[in-house]
Amino acid sequence: MDTPLKELDKQTIRETVRDLWPIAGTRQKNISFFKAAFKIYSDETDEDVTGLNRIFSNIVTDDEARRDKRPRRSFTPEEQGIFIKNVMDNEADELKLLVQIMSATGARNSEVTGLELNDVKLDAEIPNIKYRDNSVRLLDKKGLERSVPISKELVDDIKKYLEATELNSLLFPYWGQQTSYIQNKLSLVLTSHIENKRPHDIRRLSAYSLRHSFIDKMDAVEMPLGIAMYLTGHGQYEAALRVHKQYGTGTPPEMHLKYVLKANAIENWGNFD
């Protein structure tokens, strides 16, 4: 960060950017932040730094970004089992619990990493995790604020983690840091534990596939649509809000727990033929 802009090495930057963001779409998005920073610097100093933006020319093409912009898919039961086992066998407790919560609640990655300690309600009548805007992050995609009930087993795992971990206000002191470096690193670490058993399927697998799988599980146990939308935070659409008003707020938490437990217990949640 102390390197003068004029001394930045073009080849080093290009290699670093490609290594840091191997997915073209992510690379394209993050490069735009650098370009914006260079423009602000130029506007405020009257120094012409347009040459720096040329560093990023052709480092990602529109065709590359389009090829990489493939939809995600759910894990098959086998793939999800392998992924979770790999994490449990090879990672520290913080990352293990993070993946357990992602799998058990179907929340978005950023919603889980950004949890604060007071978002986890272990002593409530129905223990739950509250996904809401807090001091470190806002809910992604204008997601609906909601409380997702959790099983006794997950409550016990969280309590053991809390007893053994030195915490600040964040549930995940390291992976909960809302910086692009940490979040990109998290994505790379989690991706390394994925085994794609369907190489012919062009759709992508990622840690976010846990959310897709959770939604499939809810469908498989015939969870009422309003409750499913509430528990996954799909509240940004007018239709979803109407259904949520009818079901989500009017359903006792015990029923939410019943459906969450059923969804997490199901062993076959999709047609992958």
Side-chain angles (χ1 to χ4, degrees):
M1 293 304 294
D2 294 329
T3 306
L5 287 175
K6 62 183 179 181
E7 294 181 14
L8 291 174
D9 178 70
K10 177 179 178 179
Q11 188 59 33
T12 299
I13 290 177
R14 292 173 69 88
E15 291 175 358
T16 300
V17 165
R18 284 191 174 276
D19 289 342
L20 188 59
W21 302 307
I23 295 176
T26 303
R27 193 159 68 244
Q28 187 177 54
K29 178 184 70 175
N30 289 335
I31 283 172
S32 67
F33 297 136
F34 283 98
K35 290 182 176 180
F38 293 158
K39 184 178 185 306
I40 292 171
Y41 176 84
S42 180
D43 291 344
E44 293 185 352
T45 64
D46 294 327
E47 182 178 342
D48 184 8
V49 293
T50 53
L52 287 170
N53 278 330
R54 297 194 194 102
I55 291 175
F56 300 114
S57 62
N58 296 322
I59 202 168
V60 58
T61 66
D62 289 340
D63 285 345
E64 273 186 301
R66 285 175 57 196
R67 279 195 296 270
D68 276 354
K69 195 175 182 180
R70 293 172 293 156
R72 291 186 186 89
R73 67 171 173 88
S74 300
F75 285 113
T76 66
E78 180 188 13
E79 289 169 335
Q80 183 160 318
I82 291 171
F83 171 63
I84 292 177
K85 184 178 187 302
N86 285 343
V87 172
M88 296 301 153
D89 289 348
N90 296 286
E91 297 297 341
D93 289 345
E94 184 176 341
L95 193 55
K96 290 179 184 178
L97 182 64
L98 195 154
V99 168
Q100 285 177 276
I101 292 176
M102 289 172 62
S103 176
T105 67
R108 301 175 178 91
N109 300 13
S110 61
E111 292 176 335
V112 178
T113 60
L115 285 170
E116 293 185 314
L117 290 177
N118 60 7
D119 294 327
V120 182
K121 310 296 184 181
L122 302 182
D123 297 322
E125 181 179 354
I126 302 294
N128 65 87
I129 293 176
K130 193 170 187 66
Y131 292 107
R132 57 186 173 185
D133 295 343
N134 59 30
S135 64
V136 296
R137 61 99 175 91
L138 303 178
L139 292 180
D140 194 20
K141 299 180 181 178
K142 299 181 180 178
L144 184 71
E145 180 177 302
R146 75 269 190 202
S147 296
V148 182
I150 54 178
S151 68
K152 181 182 182 302
E153 291 75 18
L154 184 53
V155 170
D156 291 342
D157 288 338
I158 295 174
K159 286 182 177 178
K160 290 178 184 176
Y161 166 80
L162 294 177
E163 291 171 358
T165 308
E166 186 175 337
L167 301 173
N168 48 36
S169 63
L170 295 174
L171 181 61
F172 303 110
Y174 182 75
W175 297 113
Q177 299 175 67
Q178 301 301 298
T179 66
S180 58
Y181 171 76
I182 293 295
Q183 296 307 308
N184 282 324
K185 182 178 178 182
L186 175 63
S187 178
L188 291 173
V189 170
L190 292 179
T191 299
S192 71
H193 294 301
I194 292 173
E195 293 185 25
N196 185 351
K197 296 296 185 179
R198 295 173 55 80
H200 59 282
D201 193 330
I202 66 169
R203 294 172 297 172
R204 288 189 295 129
L205 276 181
S206 70
Y208 198 90
S209 296
L210 289 173
R211 178 170 169 83
H212 288 250
S213 297
F214 189 77
I215 292 172
D216 279 347
K217 292 175 184 179
M218 293 191 296
D219 289 342
V221 300
E222 300 181 334
M223 187 182 298
L225 181 60
I227 295 177
M229 286 181 166
Y230 170 73
L231 292 174
T232 52
H234 283 140
Q236 66 269 46
Y237 306 110
E238 183 179 349
L241 288 173
R242 286 200 302 269
V243 177
H244 166 64
K245 185 175 181 181
Q246 180 181 353
Y247 289 102
T249 57
T251 306
E254 291 85 352
M255 288 297 292
H256 288 177
L257 177 61
K258 167 189 169 183
Y259 282 116
V260 169
L261 294 179
K262 284 180 65 177
N264 280 315
I266 196 168
E267 296 182 355
N268 187 12
W269 53 81
N271 180 7
F272 295 98
D273 293 333

